[in-house]
Amino acid sequence: MRNTGKGSVRLPQLRLDDLLEELQARLDAARGTRDRVHSLLEAVLSVGRGLDLEDALRRIIETAVVLVDAEYGALGVIGPDERTLSQFLTVGLTDEQIAAIGPYPSGHGILGELIRHPEPLRLSRIAKSPASYGFPANHPPMHSFVGVPIRVREQVFGNLYLTGKRGGADFDDEDEAVLATLAVAAGVAIDNARLYEESRRRERWLRASAEVTTSLMSAGPGADVIGLIAELAKDITGAALATVSLPLDEGAGLTVEVAAGEQGDGLRGLVVPVDGTLSGASWAERGPVYSVDVGEDPRISFGPGRLAGLGPAVAVPIRSGEDARAVLLLARRRGEAGFSPEETEPLVAFAAQAAVAMELAERRADAEQLALLEDRDRIARDLHDLAIQRLFAAGMTLQSADRFIGHPEAAERVRRAVDDLDETIKIIRSTIFGLRSRETAPPHGLRTRVVQAVGEAGAALGFAPGLRMEGLLDTQVPRAVADDVVAVLAEALTNVARHAGASATDVAVVNDGRDLLLTVTDNGVGTPDGGRRSGLRNLAERAAAHGGGLRLTTPSGGGTTLAWSIPLERG
């Protein structure tokens, strides 16, 4: 009690303490609100810095986690189908935890709820929500949840997900408001980054198209140009794998001519059918075809494990007009963003320009071939009209002079000279025939010629041989080598039909990048000792001409394996 001179005024000490505590609490709240507003403003400025989209998305999640004091955060990017997530970035989980959990979510449960209804969502317990889909094994426990959509120009780009409010509390209205404000700033930052990325990407596509055209017009090898197309497309789109598949004759399938990047070594030379495959669908539909995860897509027929670790993919035809010349397949790593239509549009334009350049190069090659054939025809005509006629006239003159020669030895020499002239005329005529027969020479494509040879041998064998082809056979095998391969294959299959008495035969033609190996295996009676070897000697000589060799072995189950191999560097 205090004395004022006029009386006493009683002020309870307890009431004063309450007032002071309330005042301190309000001051702390005001200071906390001020600090949080300040942090929010800094966050808005932070997410707007830089123009790299991947960095911008990462900053948005990290900032959101700090602003609402969450333990875990994620940002899911909605895919082109607007129903699933094409990309999922996380904060708070270690690499070991992510690997133990397995594949990223695609948009089921609570995450899908926010996709279907793009409005802020808050939960005190995730497991109690009717939309909860449950957690996979090895997933850390998560309870409280808040999620907000991120819109870019009124279109939902993705969603922010925050879980695990530190201290065990629930997310409140203020947390939701802060995240909603951050989402608006994030939408602007994402839009700016996408516009910048799109402009840079278009510039790179233009440069790539010019590079492909220059390479084709400078008479570069076809395989090198196709490889350049795959490398450029892979680098510009950030893909981990790029393949270019070329059609077999009569649309029988597509063969992977070039494969660049991860898992590429095991794909080169594989043949995939047109029906039921991703590349085949793009070839048939003459347009882009998407896959969310090539590792799980039934349209991928490369075989189990060949595309391990890869996720979203797109296949686009390389075509000019309605004529598709090849199919370009691009695949990114699992967990990365899918290919959007906006991203695919310049890719399709690049593929179309590459197809036009390929067509122009083919027309130029046809013109050069036509000029070569015309030149050969002229040489053949000159040989026939000039050289042969003159040689024939010289022979006739010598023959007519023979009766005037009295010395027997001289007469014999003249007759031998006439015979030599006849032989020379025959040689020249054979040369003329060879020059003109090149116009109807078999196609250069070794794959097609091997298929034809195996098919023709089926009638003599009485059954269809098995066939396997691997590696670059059409672009890396020289014409002279291809001719010998087909000749050796035909001779080997003929030998099986005549002497082996086999009921099954398997043929393999493999280019491993260093050697070309032709293997013909049958289950017949084997090669008898002391049998005729003239045919095998011919095959061995063909291999030796290219620095290779021939080897005959007997498999454990009986029969014969013929292995004919040559080094391509010397072929």
Side-chain angles (χ1 to χ4, degrees), residues 425-437:
I425 290 173
K426 291 179 182 179
I427 293 172
I428 293 177
R429 281 177 172 164
S430 297
T431 302
I432 293 172
F433 178 78
L435 287 170
R436 287 178 170 169
S437 66

Side-chain angles (χ1 to χ4, degrees), residues 526-547:
T527 304
D529 295 334
R532 294 183 60 187
R533 297 281 175 166
S534 58
L536 294 177
R537 188 181 307 112
N538 177 43
L539 304 187
E541 289 174 354
R542 286 181 182 271
H546 299 285

Side-chain angles (χ1 to χ4, degrees), residues 78 82-85 105-123 126 129-133 145-149 151 156 158-161:
I78 298 177
E82 299 183 355
R83 296 190 302 272
T84 57
L85 298 175
S106 59
H108 298 293
I110 298 298
L111 306 186
E113 184 71 16
L114 207 57
I115 296 174
R116 293 185 293 270
H117 306 287
E119 298 293 337
L121 176 65
R122 247 189 312 138
L123 300 170
I126 296 176
S129 172
S132 178
Y133 198 75
F145 171 90
V146 61
V148 295
R151 287 182 168 84
V156 178
N159 298 304
L160 267 176
Y161 309 108

Side-chain angles (χ1 to χ4, degrees), residues 169-523:
D170 293 337
F171 295 103
D172 54 24
D173 292 340
E174 189 174 342
D175 293 326
E176 183 180 313
V178 167
L179 286 179
T181 304
L182 179 65
V184 174
V188 175
I190 292 171
D191 192 29
N192 289 337
R194 289 171 71 181
L195 290 174
Y196 177 71
E197 190 175 83
E198 182 179 351
S199 65
R200 289 193 62 193
R201 190 185 303 119
R202 289 186 180 277
E203 181 183 352
R204 295 183 67 188
W205 281 126
L206 290 174
R207 289 202 303 266
S209 298
E211 189 173 346
V212 170
T213 302
T214 301
S215 179
L216 283 168
M217 293 299 101
S218 62
D224 292 347
V225 176
I226 295 175
L228 177 63
I229 292 172
E231 287 287 355
L232 290 172
K234 179 176 73 72
D235 293 342
I236 294 174
T237 59
L241 171 69
T243 69
V244 177
S245 301
L246 301 180
L248 296 174
D249 287 351
E250 300 179 357
L254 299 169
T255 176
V256 181
E257 193 70 17
V258 171
E262 296 181 9
Q263 318 294 344
D265 292 340
L267 301 180
R268 296 186 190 94
L270 293 179
V271 177
V272 299
V274 172
D275 296 334
T277 62
L278 195 68
S279 296
S282 177
W283 169 266
E285 298 173 13
R286 302 294 195 265
V289 178
Y290 300 89
S291 174
V292 176
D293 188 346
V294 292
E296 304 294 333
D297 198 321
R299 296 172 298 175
I300 298 298
S301 59
F302 291 143
R306 288 188 184 269
L307 299 182
L310 299 178
V314 62
V316 297
I318 299 177
R319 66 187 183 97
S320 57
E322 295 301 319
D323 183 20
R325 298 181 170 274
V327 176
L328 173 63
L329 173 69
L330 298 171
R332 287 176 175 151
R333 295 180 183 87
R334 181 167 291 167
E336 294 185 353
F339 292 88
S340 65
E342 294 80 11
E343 192 176 12
T344 307
E345 181 183 351
L347 173 62
V348 173
F350 167 72
Q353 291 176 356
V356 171
M358 292 171 67
E359 184 174 358
L360 290 175
E362 289 179 6
R363 295 293 179 268
R364 184 196 61 203
D366 290 342
E368 292 175 353
Q369 181 68 13
L370 181 60
L372 178 63
L373 293 176
E374 290 177 347
D375 195 42
R376 287 174 176 167
D377 189 63
R378 178 189 59 79
I379 294 172
R381 189 170 55 251
D382 290 345
L383 287 173
H384 182 272
D385 295 343
L386 299 177
I388 289 182
Q389 298 301 327
R390 295 184 64 128
L391 289 172
F392 187 76
M396 292 293 292
T397 302
L398 290 173
Q399 279 184 324
S400 63
D402 180 48
R403 64 178 180 272
F404 300 111
I405 301 174
H407 196 285
E409 186 175 347
E412 180 62 25
R413 290 186 178 183
V414 169
R415 282 192 290 272
R416 283 202 303 267
V418 172
D419 292 340
D420 289 342
L421 288 175
D422 287 340
E423 288 299 321
T424 303
I425 290 173
K426 291 179 182 179
I427 293 172
I428 293 177
R429 281 177 172 164
S430 297
T431 302
I432 293 172
F433 178 78
L435 287 170
R436 287 178 170 169
S437 66
R438 290 178 182 270
E439 300 180 27
T440 57
H444 175 60
L446 179 56
R447 287 181 180 275
T448 300
R449 298 177 65 184
V450 167
V451 171
Q452 290 175 349
V454 170
E456 292 170 358
L461 290 167
F463 55 86
L467 176 60
R468 175 173 61 90
M469 293 184 284
E470 294 183 10
L472 302 180
L473 301 179
D474 288 343
T475 55
Q476 259 188 11
V477 179
R479 174 63 177 272
V481 173
D483 291 342
D484 279 343
V485 170
V486 175
V488 169
L489 175 59
E491 177 74 17
L493 291 175
T494 299
N495 289 339
V496 173
R498 288 178 178 176
H499 310 298
S503 61
T505 302
D506 292 313
V507 176
V509 184
V510 178
N511 171 15
D512 62 4
R514 299 180 304 274
D515 300 313
L516 181 67
L517 175 63
L518 166 64
T519 306
V520 180
T521 303
D522 66 74
N523 64 348

